[in-house]
C-alpha cells in the first residue's frame, strides 16, 4: 500500500473517524445547552491538528473515546483549557503513549457557573511585581494591583480564587503561595513529562490549583440546581412533579473522580518513563 493510501486509510478509520461514528452517542451525552455539532468539531480538530495526540489516540482508540465521553458528560470543550487532551505513557500499553483527559481551570469555573449559585468567579495569578493585599477576617476579598503597561511583572509567586454569589456574599477566598503550589505539583506523577500541563501550561495549572480548592466551598453540581427547584416547588405545592423529574448530569462527582490526574495518578497505570 502506498504512503498516500496509508494516509487515506488512517484518515478514514482513525480516531477522528471514530468520533464521527459515535456522533449520536456524544450528542446524547452533552448537556442541552451545549451545541453537539460544535463539540464534535472541537474534538476532531484537537486530534487532527496535533501529530502527538493523533499518534497517542491511535495507540488505543477505546481509551481516547472514553476520555471524550467524560468531557461530553461534563459538557466541557475537548482540546481546550476547559478539558485538556494530553499524551501520557502507559505501563499497560508497553509504555506507549495514550490519551489522558484533564479538566482544566476554565472547566472547573464553567461547572461553578453552571451550578447557578455564583454570579462571578475570580481566579488570578500573582507575580513578583504585583501589589497584592489580603487580610483574612478583615478583607472580604483581595486587592490585586497590576501595572499592565510597566516592566515585566516577574515570576509567579502565588494565586488566588473566590466567587461572588448571586446574593452578593463573597465565598471563602483561596490563596496559595509558591510553596503550596510546589506541594500540589509534587503529587503529580506526570509533572516532569513534556506532555504534562505543568510543563506546557504552568500558569494555568497554578490557576487550576486555586479554583480546585475553591470548588470545595461553592456549588459545582447539578444537585444544587435540583435543591433550588425543590425549594421553589415546595412553595408552589408542586414537590411531586419535581421529585419525579429527571436529574441533570452530575458534574461534581465526575470532577472528583477525574480531577486527580494533576495531583497524583493511579499508581502503575500512567507513568513518565519505564
Amino acid at each position: 500500500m502506498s504512503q498516500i493510501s496509508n494516509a487515506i486509510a488512517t484518515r478514514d478509520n482513525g480516531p477522528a473517524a471514530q468520533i464521527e461514528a459515535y456522533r449520536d452517542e456524544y450528542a446524547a451525552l452533552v448537556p442541552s445547552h451545549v451545541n453537539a455539532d460544535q463539540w464534535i468539531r472541537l474534538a476532531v480538530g484537537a486530534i487532527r491538528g496535533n501529530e502527538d495526540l493523533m499518534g497517542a489516540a491511535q495507540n488505543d482508540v477505546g481509551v481516547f473515546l472514553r476520555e471524550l465521553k467524560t468531557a461530553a458528560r461534563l459538557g466541557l470543550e475537548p482540546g481546550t483549557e476547559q478539558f485538556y487532551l494530553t499524551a501520557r505513557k502507559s505501563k499497560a500499553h508497553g509504555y506507549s503513549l495514550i490519551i489522558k483527559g484533564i479538566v482544566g481551570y476554565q472547566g472547573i469555573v464553567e461547572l461553578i457557573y453552571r451550578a447557578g449559585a455564583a454570579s462571578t468567579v475570580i481566579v488570578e495569578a500573582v507575580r513578583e511585581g504585583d501589589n497584592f493585599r489580603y487580610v483574612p477576617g478583615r478583607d472580604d476579598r483581595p486587592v490585586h494591583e497590576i501595572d499592565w503597561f510597566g516592566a515585566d511583572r516577574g515570576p509567579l509567586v502565588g494565586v488566588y480564587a473566590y466567587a461572588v454569589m448571586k446574593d452578593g456574599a463573597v465565598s471563602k477566598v483561596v490563596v496559595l503561595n509558591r510553596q503550596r503550589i510546589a506541594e500540589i505539583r509534587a503529587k503529580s506523577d506526570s509533572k516532569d513529562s513534556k506532555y504534562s500541563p505543568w510543563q506546557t501550561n504552568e500558569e494555568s495549572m497554578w490557576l487550576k490549583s486555586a479554583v480546585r480548592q475553591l470548588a470545595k466551598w461553592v456549588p459545582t453540581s447539578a444537585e444544587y440546581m435540583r435543591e433550588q427547584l425543590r425549594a421553589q416547588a415546595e412553595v408552589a405545592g408542586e414537590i411531586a412533579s419535581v421529585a419525579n423529574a429527571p436529574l441533570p448530569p452530575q458534574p461534581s462527582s465526575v470532577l472528583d473522580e477525574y480531577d486527580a490526574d494533576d495531583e497524583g495518578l493511579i499508581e502503575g497505570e500512567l507513568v513518565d518513563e519505564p
Side-chain angles (χ1 to χ4, degrees), residues 6-25:
N6 276 325
I8 293 174
T10 299
R11 181 198 65 191
D12 293 341
N13 301 296
Q18 291 297 314
I19 297 173
E20 295 287 356
Y22 287 94
R23 170 183 289 271
D24 291 343
E25 182 175 345

Side-chain angles (χ1 to χ4, degrees), residues 2-181:
S2 68
Q3 185 175 2
I4 295 177
S5 298
N6 276 325
I8 293 174
T10 299
R11 181 198 65 191
D12 293 341
N13 301 296
Q18 291 297 314
I19 297 173
E20 295 287 356
Y22 287 94
R23 170 183 289 271
D24 291 343
E25 182 175 345
Y26 288 125
L29 284 172
V30 297
S32 59
H33 73 278
V34 175
N35 184 306
D37 288 336
Q38 181 178 349
W39 190 95
I40 294 291
R41 286 195 297 270
L42 283 170
V44 172
I47 292 300
R48 284 183 173 166
N50 188 306
E51 292 184 3
D52 287 341
L53 289 182
M54 176 64 81
Q58 288 173 340
N59 287 335
D60 194 323
V61 177
V63 169
F64 168 59
L65 296 177
R66 185 191 66 197
E67 302 297 278
L68 286 184
K69 182 178 287 188
T70 298
R73 285 159 54 199
L74 289 170
L76 301 179
E77 298 177 347
T80 71
E81 289 193 343
Q82 287 190 3
F83 193 89
Y84 294 107
L85 294 175
T86 65
R88 300 286 184 89
K89 290 183 179 179
S90 169
K91 182 178 180 181
H93 294 74
Y95 300 104
S96 61
L97 295 174
I98 63 172
I99 292 292
K100 176 67 177 175
I102 300 177
V103 179
Y105 86 94
Q106 291 186 3
I108 302 176
V109 170
E110 170 66 16
L111 295 179
I112 292 175
Y113 276 126
R114 199 182 301 164
S119 62
T120 306
V121 179
I122 305 296
V123 51
E124 294 286 349
V126 182
R127 293 185 174 270
E128 196 172 67
D130 298 349
N131 186 4
F132 179 83
R133 301 188 304 277
Y134 175 64
V135 178
R138 186 195 71 184
D139 305 326
D140 67 339
R141 68 191 78 188
V143 175
H144 184 196
E145 298 174 350
I146 301 172
D147 183 1
W148 294 108
F149 305 106
D152 183 11
R153 291 171 57 197
L156 291 164
V157 295
V159 66
Y160 65 95
Y162 65 91
V164 179
M165 315 309 287
K166 288 189 173 177
D167 62 3
V170 178
S171 73
K172 176 181 176 63
V173 178
V174 173
V175 180
L176 304 177
N177 60 18
R178 184 183 294 165
Q179 179 179 349
R180 181 71 183 102
I181 293 295

